[in-house]
Amino acid sequence: MIPFSPMSTHIQGPVRVRFAPSPTGFLHVGGARTAIYNDLLRQSVGGAFILRIEDTDKERSNEAMTRQIQSALAWIGTVWDEGPFLQSERLERHRERAAELLANGRAYRCFCTAEELEGRRKAAEAAGSAFLYPRTCLARPQEELDALLAAGAPFVVRLRMPDDHVRFDDIVRGAMDFPPEALDDFILLRSDGSPTYHMSVVVDDIDMGITHVIRGEDHLSNTPKHVPLFRALGGTVPTFAHLPLILGPDKKRLSKRYGATSVEEFRNEGILPQALYNFLALLGWNPGDDREVMTREEMIAAFTVERLNDSAAVFDREKLWWMNGQYILRLSLQELWPHLEPFVEQAGLAGEDRERLQAALELHRTRATTLKELVELVQPYFRSELTYDPAACAKFLKDASLPDLLDTLRARFNALPAFTKEALEAALRALSEEKGAKAGVLIHPTRMALSASTGGPPLFDLIEVMGREATDRHMGRFLAFLREGGKPAEG
RNA sequence: GGCGCAUUCGUCUAGGGGUCCAGGACGCCGGCCUCUCACGCCGGUAACACGGGUUCGAAUCCCGUAUGCGCUACCA
């Protein structure tokens, strides 16, 4: 028993953590989640969160993407203390450290060409065994090496891996143990002298004093390479936490084919940053009790790495939408407004009366799960005409006396000295009573007239916010529509 | 192929030997509220991958199988 006491993984802090995305596209939700856990750890125990952009692959990186990633990180609410540092600006440093390894014998030059190695690799694969660099150049006589170097033959620099097992503790995986047969002398510097990813990360992590590396599980297999490199460079090996991946509904790595995967896309769909942060944090972590809708502060207070999950999670869009709806419900309109504004603008409502717009939004907030939907719902208040669906109006079209009745109601509404919901309701109920009908007979067609919908907020709230002018106009148009037998709206 | 990691309701998860014929949430279904829709509330549906151990007792520990995923580059 007691293979690992939980206390052994508990982090006291202060820590120095980092998020190191490569700017090859928009910030993926998986990356965002990694950033969130770094943020939560940093905020909960103190220390520093460093942002480092791994832009050494020039082909796939560009400055716009770097800015994009920063703005997405800031938008969801992560806070970094240092950076962004660009890895591309540290290439000299990486080379310098590789030269040291070469000088002290922890690394060596390899003159084998990529082509000949590729051939061996294929052969090994065909034979069903793993390919490891056979240390040809480590075994070469010194004179031969000197001659090759003097002749200007291209070479790569390889790390001389230790002969014993590589072991490390992973916070989420437990004890890791890799036998020497599983590891080979990997490349530190390419033949053009540029550092590989492995070289760059380790040097940067050492130089930046990183104490805890929280990253995706796709790096778990790279870690046994990194650990000996940390040691060879005289650095302290950080503590690792490898997070499980986020999957799509097909249980494969989350991909485009099932819709949005980047933070930016969710933002454009009308997801609130608080909701996305909350949702992502819960995809692989939980506070240990039943809380789900939590503020960042509450999550920081509850965060511990021991509660990080070790199995992959399917990204459930439906639940994100639900959670976003919860935030739309719980936030004040004032808090919501800055996030709503871009959608208001997009919907062409930016110039409308602010007070009326906000009153309408307030009326509909329980009925929307995204900001985009919410703004959509409020359109009828500002449109000069609505399009009625004959199918949805079939019931009203059958009642021949309805148009006149609605006309009367419209007149009574117009005659009201104060256009308040109390007065409106009294007027409508009085009329239905006079006609010996139930209030619903008037309520439902009126709702349809004003909103072109069978659902929505309580009718009298709706009319009050709609206002005298728009109410009269919509009712007039609806009457015409009914009298024309439900002809699909004119122009 | 090799190496590594994972496996509780459809999905996110609680659970670290008995208190679990497995708890919460999303979804779905039913009901209440009600002028409609939504919110809210109440109730229901549904899971320990499989096979062996260990143990008085296993969702929990061990081994195997299956499945999924990751890595396997002079990409990051």
Side-chain angles (χ1 to χ4, degrees):
Chain A
M1 268 321 59
I2 320 170
F4 303 104
S5 123
M7 291 312 288
S8 70
T9 59
H10 190 74
I11 297 173
Q12 302 283 354
V15 295
R16 287 182 64 80
V17 295
R18 45 64 156 194
F19 176 56
S22 50
T24 55
F26 292 99
L27 181 63
H28 187 271
V29 288
R33 188 186 59 162
T34 301
I36 285 169
Y37 292 142
N38 276 290
D39 181 55
L40 286 172
L41 177 61
R42 147 67 182 92
Q43 295 299 328
S44 66
V45 303
F49 178 15
I50 295 148
L51 177 59
R52 187 171 74 216
I53 307 291
E54 316 231 303
D55 60 344
T56 46
D57 184 355
K58 286 171 225 111
E59 309 243 318
R60 296 195 293 168
S61 306
N62 70 272
E63 209 185 314
M65 285 306 180
T66 300
R67 277 197 303 271
Q68 187 62 244
I69 285 172
Q70 281 185 72
S71 87
L73 283 172
W75 180 74
I76 56 172
T78 59
V79 174
W80 61 93
D81 306 280
E82 299 172 26
F85 297 110
L86 298 183
Q87 196 158 67
S88 59
E89 289 173 359
R90 298 182 37 84
L91 297 185
E92 270 321 307
R93 172 64 178 159
H94 303 154
R95 268 196 278 261
E96 179 186 313
R97 298 255 37 206
E100 282 175 39
L101 295 178
L102 213 44
N104 66 21
R106 311 299 289 260
Y108 62 94
R109 292 188 180 86
C110 168
F111 294 90
C112 300
T113 67
E115 295 71 41
E116 63 194 49
L117 256 25
E118 189 52 36
R120 299 247 224 152
R121 191 187 321 278
K122 288 237 172 72
E125 202 170 308
S129 55
F131 176 77
L132 295 177
Y133 176 65
R135 289 188 159 171
T136 320
C137 290
L138 190 60
R140 258 190 238 263
Q142 191 59 45
E143 314 80 70
E144 199 179 320
L145 259 16
D146 291 343
L148 249 12
L149 188 59
F155 62 86
V156 297
V157 174
R158 290 181 184 273
L159 181 71
R160 192 193 197 297
M161 287 292 276
D163 298 318
D164 47 341
H165 287 232
V166 173
R167 295 177 227 268
F168 60 91
D169 283 321
D170 188 285
I171 288 173
V172 332
R173 311 284 155 185
M176 293 285 104
D177 185 337
F178 295 82
E181 315 86 76
L183 284 350
D184 74 347
D185 293 348
F186 64 97
I187 296 174
L188 263 23
L189 248 39
R190 301 186 186 96
S191 50
D192 67 357
S194 65
T196 59
Y197 162 76
H198 302 298
M199 185 66 197
S200 296
V201 216
V202 173
V203 171
D204 285 349
D205 283 344
I206 292 172
D207 286 354
M208 295 173 188
I210 301 304
T211 59
H212 299 265
V213 172
I214 302 176
R215 70 207 330 182
E217 191 189 27
D218 44 345
H219 289 290
L220 186 57
S221 307
N222 290 148
T223 308
K225 294 179 180 174
H226 297 173
V227 169
L229 185 50
F230 271 104
R231 296 203 175 109
L233 288 165
T236 307
V237 181
T239 302
F240 295 97
H242 287 98
L243 304 168
L245 268 22
I246 296 180
L247 273 25
D250 57 354
K251 305 253 184 168
K252 296 199 189 303
R253 208 173 174 151
L254 186 63
S255 77
K256 278 284 168 207
R257 57 179 300 197
Y258 292 103
T261 55
S262 73
V263 168
E264 192 69 20
E265 289 171 287
F266 288 107
R267 178 182 189 167
N268 293 337
E269 291 207 45
I271 297 297
L272 285 158
Q274 297 94 316
L276 189 57
Y277 188 108
N278 192 165
F279 176 76
L280 254 15
L282 253 31
L283 208 59
W285 173 82
N286 69 78
D289 52 41
D290 285 341
R291 285 177 296 168
E292 293 207 299
V293 180
M294 300 173 75
T295 63
R296 176 164 172 266
E297 289 63 38
E298 290 170 325
M299 289 187 264
I300 289 167
F303 190 79
T304 60
V305 290
E306 301 79 318
R307 299 205 66 88
L308 248 16
N309 262 119
D310 64 357
S311 60
V314 172
F315 189 92
D316 184 0
R317 222 183 129 84
E318 289 293 316
K319 191 157 182 176
L320 204 211
W321 257 240
W322 165 78
M323 186 165 278
N324 200 55
Q326 290 295 309
Y327 275 87
I328 289 179
L329 229 49
R330 298 177 191 206
L331 257 26
S332 69
L333 194 59
Q334 198 179 11
E335 293 169 299
L336 231 38
W337 186 251
H339 300 105
L340 229 24
E341 236 169 347
F343 296 96
V344 166
E345 203 159 311
Q346 196 177 299
L349 302 178
E352 301 294 344
D353 177 66
R354 182 63 54 86
E355 207 176 314
R356 186 159 170 264
L357 174 58
Q358 294 192 341
L361 290 167
E362 189 61 68
L363 225 41
H364 288 267
R365 59 197 300 179
T366 62
R367 295 169 185 81
T369 52
T370 69
L371 300 174
K372 201 174 180 176
E373 286 169 19
L374 180 53
V375 171
E376 243 358 89
L377 288 173
V378 120
Q379 284 282 15
Y381 297 82
F382 305 96
R383 300 262 291 272
S384 61
E385 56 195 58
L386 303 177
T387 303
Y388 303 108
D389 172 14
C393 295
K395 191 167 49 188
F396 308 134
L397 287 162
K398 267 185 249 164
D399 183 351
S401 63
L402 188 57
D404 288 344
L405 191 56
L406 284 181
D407 215 357
T408 308
L409 181 65
R410 179 188 178 202
R412 300 231 181 143
F413 281 171
N414 278 330
L416 252 24
F419 211 72
T420 64
K421 60 180 179 183
E422 292 77 13
L424 291 158
E425 178 160 10
L428 183 143
R429 289 196 188 280
L431 179 59
S432 61
E433 214 165 301
E434 284 169 32
K435 302 292 176 187
K438 291 208 283 191
V441 170
L442 282 170
I443 286 174
H444 300 300
T446 304
R447 170 176 289 106
M448 177 57 75
L450 301 186
S451 64
S453 164
T454 54
L459 183 68
F460 305 107
D461 292 296
L462 187 160
I463 310 178
E464 184 180 273
V465 173
M466 183 66 72
R468 203 185 282 275
E469 193 269 333
T471 299
D472 181 62
R473 174 169 20 98
H474 284 151
M475 286 185 84
R477 296 228 178 230
F478 188 60
L479 284 175
F481 169 81
L482 290 182
R483 284 180 171 141
E484 284 164 35
K487 285 217 208 74
E490 5 58 276

